[in-house]
């Protein structure tokens, strides 16, 4: 199969704000206007209070490493020359349990530790645009 480009996210009415935010280098997460909980992935109703009144807000970009794996096999040919990479769940500082699937960059895999502080770093993926990856916090 010929690789014609990267796999592209399918934006829906529910998720378009997220992808549009990335294009502007803004990490936007849904937040409930009624109970103020953050909600990710995007949902039509708040899982805490059932309110449909959710709106995107920009998060701080601070978080910590919740879980990770080192990916050595590309799930799509476009990523074959980016291997290996660290696929991670990052718990965002805004709320316990608010986790984003992303990549950790700028850190040797042997130095990764669950709970280590991370910070957002925008990483240009060419045709895919900016991606919200994370790196160890406070490292110059
Ligand atoms: Zn709510």
């Amino acid at each position: 199969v010929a690789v014609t480009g990267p796999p592209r996210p399918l934006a829906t009415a529910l998720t378009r704000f997220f992808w549009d935010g990335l294009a502007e280098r803004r990490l936007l997460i849904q937040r409930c206007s009624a109970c103020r909980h953050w909600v990710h992935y995007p949902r039509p109703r708040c899982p805490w209070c059932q309110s449909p009144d959710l709106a995107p807000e920009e998060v701080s970009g601070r978080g910590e490493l919740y879980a990770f794996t080192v990916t050595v096999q590309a799930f799509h040919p476009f990523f074959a020359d980016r291997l290996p990479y660290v696929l991670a769940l990052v718990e965002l500082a805004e709320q316990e349990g608010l986790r984003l699937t992303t990549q950790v960059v700028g850190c040797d895999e042997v130095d990764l530790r669950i709970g280590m502080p991370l910070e957002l770093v925008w990483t240009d993926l060419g045709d895919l645009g900016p991606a919200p990856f994370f790196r160890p916090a406070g490292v110059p």
Side-chain angles (χ1 to χ4, degrees):
V1 176
V3 181
T4 56
R8 295 189 178 280
L10 179 63
T12 66
L14 191 60
T15 63
R16 189 170 312 280
F17 76 89
F18 181 83
W19 304 113
D20 288 350
L22 297 191
E24 299 173 352
R25 295 177 179 253
R26 299 175 69 210
L27 182 54
L28 301 175
I29 301 290
Q30 263 187 337
R31 193 169 191 188
C32 178
S33 302
C35 75
R36 304 304 289 155
H37 276 100
W38 298 87
V39 178
H40 185 74
Y41 53 89
R43 276 163 269 201
R45 284 185 178 272
C46 174
W48 281 270
C49 76
Q50 305 304 316
S51 169
D53 193 9
L54 297 156
E57 281 189 31
E58 192 165 4
V59 292
S60 65
R62 291 179 293 110
E64 64 179 44
L65 185 58
Y66 180 80
F68 70 94
T69 187
V70 179
T71 302
V72 296
Q73 183 169 338
F75 71 89
H76 184 281
F78 177 77
F79 294 103
D81 61 355
R82 296 185 58 86
L83 298 171
Y85 58 84
V86 176
L87 183 65
L89 271 178
V90 171
E91 182 151 310
L92 301 177
E94 276 70 17
Q95 180 177 289
E96 187 178 350
L98 182 68
R99 298 178 196 131
L100 181 74
T101 304
T102 179
Q103 290 184 34
V104 174
V105 296
C107 184
D108 216 70
E109 67 186 65
V110 298
D111 295 325
L112 293 167
R113 296 289 182 274
I114 299 304
M116 69 189 291
L118 300 172
E119 65 187 11
L120 179 63
V121 57
W122 292 102
T123 304
D124 187 12
L125 292 184
D127 288 350
L128 281 177
F133 291 169
F134 282 75
R135 66 182 175 197
V139 177

